[in-house]
Amino acid sequence: MFVSVLNDRSFSMQVRDVNSTSGDGWRKVWGKEAAAINQLAAVNQGRNSLILEAVRTNDWSDYHQFQAKQHPAWYDNVGGVMKQNKLYYGNLIDVQNRSLKEAVQSGDEMEIERRKARMDELITDFKNAPGEVPHVIAFITDPALAEAHGIPKPSSDWYNSPYNNALAASQGRFEDKYWYENPYFADHPNEMAFALEAVQELRPDIAKIAASINKGAYERNVASSSFNAKPVEPSIIEEAKGDDQLESVGIVEKASVALAEATAVKVEQFARQFSTANLATELFAKKERTETPTSLDALRDRLNQKAAERKYNIV
C-alpha cells in the first residue's frame, strides 16, 4: 500500500488560516491537503529528507544527485559523480559581488573584508568546478577582477549553447516546465497520482486540470521511452471540458490503475529518461515537434496559468 511522504506527521506545512479571527493566523497541513495546496510539497519533502541525511552522515552525494535532476544546468557528471559546475558558482559570484558593493558603499571596513574573503572563496570554487567558463557579470563588468584570478572570457561555443539563457543561470533549468513535469515524479510516480487525487478531492476550483494532466502528462514526459501509462478515455476528458464539476470517480481511479499496471521494469525505464548523466544531452538533442493545437490544449493552457505562476514560488 502506497503511503505518501506527506502523510508522515513529521512533515507539515504552515498555511494561512482563513478562518482565523485575527486575520494573520497560521495552521499546519499535511497529507492530501498539503498536496492540494502545493503539488510540489512531496518534492520539497524529498529534498529536506536528503539534507537531514547528508548532515547526519556527512555524505552529500545523494542530495547532489537529487539536485542535479531538479537543476541540471548547474551540474556536470564527473566520473559518475554529480558536481556543481561553473555556471552554478558564477551565479553565486554575481550575488556576492552585489553584496560586496553594498558593503563598500556602507564604508564598513570589517564587513568589506569579510565579504571580499567570501568572494575569493567562491572564485576558487569556480576555478575548480567542472564545465565551460560562463558569462559572469562580475567578471565582464570588472575585467581586472577576472585577470587577477586568471579567469578567461567565455568562448563563442558557450554563448551558442543551451547554458546561455536566463533560466539556466537563475534556476538551473534548460526549459520551463509545469509542476507535473517535475523529474521527481519519474522516480516517484505514485506521488504524482497522490497529488492529482488531492487536487481532485480538495481543489474543485482547479479540478478540471487533473483530467488534462492525467490524459497527457505521462505521454509528454515519456514520449521517447517504453513506459506507457494508460490515459483516461477521451470521452471522460470531453466530459470534464463540458461540465463545471469534474466527476470525482473515474479520473483518479483510472490513474491509479494505470500506475498499478506499470511494471517495475517499465518504471525503471521511465526513470532512466531523467538520469542525471544523460539529462542535459537528451535535452540538447531533442528534436522540435510540431503539435496541432486543440480545444483541450487551449483549455489546459488556460487552466494551467495559475499553476505556472505558483511553480517558482513553490520550489
Side-chain angles (χ1 to χ4, degrees):
M1 178 181 176
F2 169 72
V3 178
S4 171
V5 295
L6 303 184
N7 282 328
D8 185 344
R9 288 301 174 126
S10 66
F11 163 84
S12 67
M13 285 171 44
Q14 294 281 352
V15 299
R16 288 280 188 181
D17 187 354
V18 295
N19 296 319
S20 173
T21 56
S22 64
D24 59 355
W26 295 82
R27 64 185 180 89
K28 290 183 178 181
V29 297
W30 49 82
K32 280 188 176 179
E33 187 173 8
I37 294 173
N38 177 355
Q39 290 78 50
L40 291 176
V43 181
N44 293 335
Q45 175 67 353
R47 179 188 294 108
N48 292 341
S49 297
L50 289 172
I51 291 173
L52 292 175
E53 182 65 14
V55 170
R56 186 183 70 82
T57 63
N58 197 30
D59 180 0
W60 291 83
S61 57
D62 288 344
Y63 169 79
H64 286 306
Q65 288 284 349
F66 177 95
Q67 287 293 86
K69 292 183 180 182
Q70 294 295 313
H71 310 283
W74 288 347
Y75 282 83
D76 280 11
N77 188 323
V78 181
V81 178
M82 303 312 298
K83 299 284 188 180
Q84 291 157 326
N85 59 23
K86 283 182 170 59
L87 183 62
Y88 172 84
Y89 285 107
N91 200 36
L92 294 182
I93 286 172
D94 281 338
V95 172
Q96 186 64 21
N97 188 50
R98 292 193 293 270
S99 176
L100 177 57
K101 288 181 178 179
E102 291 174 359
V104 170
Q105 291 178 348
S106 72
D108 187 334
E109 293 299 329
M110 290 185 62
E111 191 63 21
I112 292 173
E113 288 302 316
R114 187 181 72 81
R115 298 187 187 185
K116 184 177 180 181
R118 176 56 180 158
M119 172 69 89
D120 290 340
E121 290 176 359
L122 288 173
I123 292 177
T124 298
D125 290 338
F126 175 89
K127 294 174 68 175
N128 293 331
E132 297 292 326
V133 174
H135 179 98
V136 181
I137 296 175
F139 295 145
I140 299 300
T141 58
D142 188 356
L145 177 65
E147 184 178 357
H149 291 276
I151 308 297
K153 293 182 179 180
S155 68
S156 58
D157 288 341
W158 185 87
Y159 281 112
N160 292 326
S161 76
Y163 288 89
N164 182 26
N165 71 78
L167 192 64
S170 64
Q171 298 179 32
R173 298 185 175 100
F174 293 109
E175 57 185 2
D176 203 357
K177 291 186 175 183
Y178 291 110
W179 68 265
Y180 49 82
E181 297 173 308
N182 191 290
Y184 178 84
F185 295 123
D187 295 330
H188 305 86
N190 284 328
E191 292 289 2
M192 170 77 154
F194 184 79
L196 293 178
E197 186 177 352
V199 169
Q200 167 93 20
E201 183 176 329
L202 301 173
R203 292 292 303 278
D205 55 320
I206 60 172
K208 287 181 181 179
I209 195 174
S212 298
I213 293 171
N214 187 49
K215 179 175 185 290
Y218 286 109
E219 294 172 354
R220 288 190 297 275
N221 275 344
V222 299
S224 62
S225 78
S226 59
F227 177 91
N228 292 303
K230 293 183 179 179
V232 175
E233 286 81 4
S235 60
I236 295 180
I237 300 301
E238 292 301 320
E239 181 181 353
K241 289 169 58 181
D243 296 341
D244 289 333
Q245 296 295 328
L246 185 68
E247 300 233 344
S248 60
V249 178
I251 302 298
V252 174
E253 288 183 357
K254 290 178 182 294
S256 299
V257 170
L259 289 169
E261 291 179 351
T263 65
V265 173
K266 289 181 179 179
V267 172
E268 182 181 356
Q269 291 171 334
F270 179 32
R272 197 153 46 228
Q273 180 193 5
F274 292 92
S275 168
T276 52
N278 302 319
L279 181 57
T281 302
E282 290 173 1
L283 283 171
F284 300 162
K286 186 168 58 180
K287 295 180 180 180
E288 294 183 358
R289 296 192 301 270
T290 302
E291 297 184 4
T292 303
T294 65
S295 59
L296 178 58
D297 292 329
L299 174 65
R300 183 175 62 248
D301 291 341
R302 201 160 58 247
L303 293 173
N304 276 347
Q305 286 179 357
K306 289 186 178 180
E309 292 171 359
R310 287 198 309 271
K311 180 168 55 175
Y312 300 118
N313 294 327
I314 291 172
V315 176

